[in-house]
Amino acid sequence: MTEVIGRIRQATNVPKRLVAISAILLLILCIFPFVAGDFQTNLMAKLLLFGILAVSLDLVWGFTGILSFAHGVFFTLGGYAMAYYLKLNLSASANTYGVALPDFMVWNGLKELPWFIAPLQIFPIAAIAMVALPAGFAYIIGWFIFRSKVSGVYITIITLAISSALTTFFVSQQAFTGGTNGITDVSKLSFFGIVVPQLGLYYIILGFTTLVLAGSWWLTQSNFGLILRSVKENEQRISYLGYDVASFKIFVWTLSAGIAGIAGGLFVPLNRFISPVYLAVAFGTQIVIWVAVGGRGTLFGPVIAAILLGQLQNSVDRITQDWQLIVGIILLTVVLFLPNGLMSLLPKKFRFTEINRMPIPRGSTTAGFVRVSLLDWYSPLVRLIQSVRGKR
């Protein structure tokens, strides 16, 4: 893992056009609550969280080539950690049965709080668990998957199995998880006794979204991002160059799970519940659709797709309950006519996630120069063949 962290070095400048467009979009989102009303503000906050969840999948699928249906699992684990904290800090008078024990535990005959849930009454522990639980789980399964050199469709099958198995487990453990209903009627998020209003939550989520997008862009533009793209293109060749491919995969897999967990943790105080619905394969498939429609390896595309499809669902849902049919038609259209997603409609100069190739100084002896030269052996060979043909 130390080798992986050592590769994360920024080698490019931030494009001024990207900074200007990002600032304009951020300004629009900042003033959005004052013109759109409470319902649209809450909906936008929820869609931003779904967009960040899609970005976390884009890091492993769009940049590394690992298709996962388990990111709903990471999202839900983070959500449950925060839901336990908010439920356990609900006042006794606000509880259905007037006791400190959550209502679903009373219904299922529990007399006292389980030892493994009790520490989540403390906010710092719950906040750490919100990240550590999904990231730790991802690290363990990632270690076995990638160290065993499992790849391709087999990883996808494993993530589908994990999603299905955990859904069944959470539903069956009703006394501890609330079963099918999950954890509902949680308290509002508060700091030092001051309740955070919905508008405050919107700005916290907006700040988190900005931070994740900026950090992901920086990461994918670094040497680390170049290696991830190379692993996606030809894993075997990168392995022959001496890189520990499994370490890079485990790192980005764990990182994306941590991001998904925080998104799940912020989802709970916004919507006041969490349930096994978000563990299921159906929700995992929805995340895949956001990335596919927005564009793999674009970072901004999945966020835009999550917002557009969410708003479309909200509009169509008023007319018909079969909104999935509309989403299915859109997905088919994109796959058939726009295989690179909606972001491919933009001119190339606005696709800011493509590697900004800086001129490499001749004679440089740095390790980065050696690595890039080794990776880019194909281009000089093509130029040599073309020059030979030209002389003939």
Side-chain angles (χ1 to χ4, degrees):
M1 197 60 71
T2 306
E3 179 195 4
V4 175
I5 295 172
R7 300 294 187 271
I8 305 175
R9 294 182 302 172
Q10 184 65 18
T12 59
N13 297 318
V14 180
K16 292 178 181 176
R17 195 180 287 116
L18 173 61
V19 174
I21 293 175
S22 300
I24 292 170
L25 291 176
L26 186 60
L27 180 63
I28 292 172
L29 288 172
C30 283
I31 62 176
F32 182 82
F34 301 103
V35 295
D38 292 340
F39 175 77
Q40 277 294 331
T41 300
N42 285 347
L43 179 61
M44 180 58 78
K46 177 182 169 184
L47 296 180
L48 285 175
L49 286 175
F50 286 165
I52 287 306
L53 179 58
V55 169
S56 71
L57 176 62
D58 195 25
L59 285 173
V60 296
W61 185 29
F63 289 90
T64 321
I66 305 167
L67 175 56
S68 163
F69 284 83
H71 273 60
V73 171
F74 306 140
F75 177 85
T76 310
L77 290 178
Y80 266 92
M82 182 55 67
Y84 280 123
Y85 165 74
L86 294 176
K87 189 70 176 178
L88 294 174
N89 281 276
L90 197 65
S91 64
S93 58
N95 254 331
T96 309
Y97 290 91
V99 295
L101 210 59
D103 47 11
F104 61 88
M105 293 185 181
V106 175
W107 295 338
N108 288 280
L110 291 187
K111 301 298 182 185
E112 58 183 19
L113 202 59
W115 61 268
F116 53 88
I117 295 177
L120 296 174
Q121 297 177 87
I122 304 167
F123 180 74
I125 295 178
I128 292 171
M130 182 177 70
V131 184
L133 195 60
F137 180 65
Y139 179 82
I140 292 169
I141 60 174
W143 193 91
F144 283 105
I145 290 174
F146 301 123
R147 289 294 175 198
S148 304
K149 298 188 184 302
V150 178
S151 61
V153 69
Y154 298 104
I155 296 178
T156 306
I157 293 171
I158 290 173
T159 58
L160 284 169
I162 290 170
S163 176
S164 298
L166 280 182
T167 303
T168 305
F169 177 77
F170 269 65
V171 170
S172 65
Q173 299 299 315
Q174 193 167 344
F176 307 106
T177 63
T180 308
N181 294 327
I183 301 177
T184 59
D185 299 326
V186 299
S187 64
K188 293 183 176 180
L189 184 64
S190 61
F191 294 109
F192 305 108
I194 302 173
V195 175
V196 179
Q198 290 297 91
L199 185 61
L201 268 175
Y202 172 83
Y203 284 113
I204 290 174
I205 291 168
L206 181 58
F208 175 61
T209 304
T210 307
L211 186 66
V212 170
L213 280 174
S216 299
W217 184 88
W218 174 82
L219 190 70
T220 54
Q221 293 293 305
S222 67
N223 289 345
F224 178 81
L226 179 62
I227 293 172
L228 289 185
R229 293 166 196 259
S230 304
V231 168
K232 178 186 173 186
E233 295 298 324
N234 195 326
E235 179 179 336
Q236 200 171 25
R237 183 180 298 168
I238 297 302
S239 180
Y240 287 158
L241 290 173
Y243 288 99
D244 185 357
V245 173
S247 293
F248 286 92
K249 286 184 174 180
I250 293 170
F251 180 84
V252 73
W253 174 261
T254 306
L255 177 68
S256 71
I259 293 172
I262 298 174
L266 290 173
F267 175 82
V268 173
L270 182 72
N271 288 275
R272 312 287 297 281
F273 82 101
I274 190 74
S275 76
V277 167
Y278 298 99
L279 284 167
V281 173
F283 186 64
T285 307
Q286 202 168 349
I287 304 167
V288 171
I289 290 174
W290 292 330
V291 179
V293 171
R296 285 173 289 162
T298 61
L299 292 181
F300 301 98
V303 179
I304 293 170
I307 293 173
L308 289 179
L309 291 178
Q311 291 288 358
L312 179 68
Q313 176 187 339
N314 180 51
S315 302
V316 174
D317 208 21
R318 299 173 186 171
I319 304 170
T320 173
Q321 294 294 318
D322 299 324
W323 59 268
Q324 294 95 337
L325 180 65
I326 308 295
V327 174
I329 293 172
I330 293 174
L331 179 63
L332 280 176
T333 306
V334 170
V335 169
L336 290 175
F337 301 104
L338 293 171
N340 294 320
L342 296 176
M343 290 297 283
S344 63
L345 293 173
L346 293 177
K348 200 168 183 179
K349 61 183 179 181
F350 290 108
R351 298 176 201 168
F352 300 110
T353 53
E354 293 183 359
I355 286 285
N356 186 13
R357 299 185 185 281
M358 299 293 286
I360 302 170
R362 291 184 178 278
S364 171
T365 56
T366 62
F369 169 72
V370 173
R371 291 189 194 104
V372 171
S373 299
L374 286 172
L375 290 170
D376 195 21
W377 59 271
Y378 181 71
S379 299
L381 182 63
V382 171
R383 285 197 293 270
L384 177 64
I385 294 172
Q386 288 174 343
S387 64
V388 171
R389 286 180 176 174
K391 288 178 182 178
R392 288 179 181 176

